[in-house]
């Protein structure tokens, strides 16, 4: 029989927006998990393996999860900026008393995590990015400086219309 009780959902105030968060574990290392495109701190525990993953992490870290503004149990807002969403990480860390943490961004949460680390370097022990996004189209300023490489990373070769170099 499993006696595990899910962590309580609490709320941090970021500006005038309430951000839902949960904390698992009591280890000396704080690990803030910045979600990707979708977040829901309570419903995610219904996903197979999610709670077990957090429980394992909580054996050596205090794991802090949260819902981005406009998602899950956080307040609904329309089109928040990256800077507003990034500041939600700070608000949650302040609410749990975390001075410094490892910040792990998943997917769309990676740019948010990177911006947080650049804005508050004194609050970030480590930065982990998992499945972060990349440019599909290079901005004009970078096109001039972009190396001529193939998708596999090898130097691109010129070829004639028959496919021969």
């Amino acid at each position: 029989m499993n006696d595990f009780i899910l962590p309580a959902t609490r709320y941090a105030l970021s500006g005038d927006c309430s951000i839902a968060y949960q904390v698992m574990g009591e280890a000396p290392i704080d690990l803030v998990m910045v979600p990707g495109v979708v977040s829901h701190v309570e419903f995610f525990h219904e996903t197979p393996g999610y709670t077990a993953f957090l429980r394992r992490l909580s054996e050596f870290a205090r794991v802090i999860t949260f819902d981005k503004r406009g998602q899950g149990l956080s307040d609904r807002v329309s089109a928040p900026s990256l800077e507003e969403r990034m500041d939600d990480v700070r608000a949650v860390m302040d609410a749990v008393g975390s001075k410094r943490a490892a910040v792990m961004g998943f997917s769309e949460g990676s740019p948010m995590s990177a911006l947080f680390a650049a804005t508050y370097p004194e609050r970030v022990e480590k930065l982990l990015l998992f499945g972060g996004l990349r440019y599909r189209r290079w901005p004009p300023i970078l096109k001039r400086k972009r190396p001529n490489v193939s998708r596999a990373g090898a130097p691109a070769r010129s070829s004639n219309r028959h496919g021969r170099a």
Side-chain angles (χ1 to χ4, degrees):
M1 184 89 182
N2 189 350
D3 293 332
F4 178 73
I5 298 171
L6 291 177
T9 300
R10 292 183 167 57
Y11 294 87
L13 197 59
S14 181
D16 59 353
C17 187
S18 292
I19 305 299
Y21 70 90
Q22 292 182 344
V23 178
M24 288 180 73
E26 296 180 12
I29 299 167
D30 286 344
L31 174 61
V32 178
M33 315 245 324
V34 181
V37 169
V38 178
S39 63
H40 195 297
V41 292
E42 291 183 356
F43 184 71
F44 273 4
H45 288 284
E46 300 293 323
T47 305
Y50 179 78
T51 304
F53 174 62
L54 295 184
R55 287 179 71 182
R56 176 65 181 104
L57 290 174
S58 71
E59 291 176 10
F60 62 86
R62 180 170 69 150
V63 181
I64 304 160
T65 59
F66 69 97
D67 286 336
K68 294 188 301 187
R69 60 176 57 213
Q71 296 185 10
L73 299 173
S74 292
D75 285 348
R76 298 290 177 253
V77 294
S78 60
S81 69
L82 181 61
E83 289 78 10
E84 288 173 315
R85 291 183 295 136
M86 177 269 312
D87 201 51
D88 297 343
V89 176
R90 182 208 47 80
V92 169
M93 285 179 67
D94 288 350
V96 301
S98 177
K99 302 269 188 256
R100 195 165 168 83
V103 177
M104 184 171 190
F106 291 88
S107 183
E108 193 266 340
S110 292
M112 194 166 126
S113 300
L115 181 59
F116 181 80
T119 306
Y120 300 104
E122 70 282 359
R123 307 243 7 220
V124 179
E125 182 71 31
K126 303 283 185 202
L127 176 63
L128 301 97
L129 305 176
F130 181 80
L133 307 172
R134 66 175 179 87
Y135 283 116
R136 291 269 183 215
R137 295 180 185 203
W138 288 76
I141 190 130
L142 295 178
K143 282 184 179 178
R144 292 187 295 262
K145 298 177 183 182
R146 183 178 181 199
N148 187 16
V149 296
S150 70
R151 290 185 74 92
R157 297 185 323 160
S158 297
S159 63
N160 62 23
R161 63 188 175 127
H162 302 290
R164 292 183 222 125

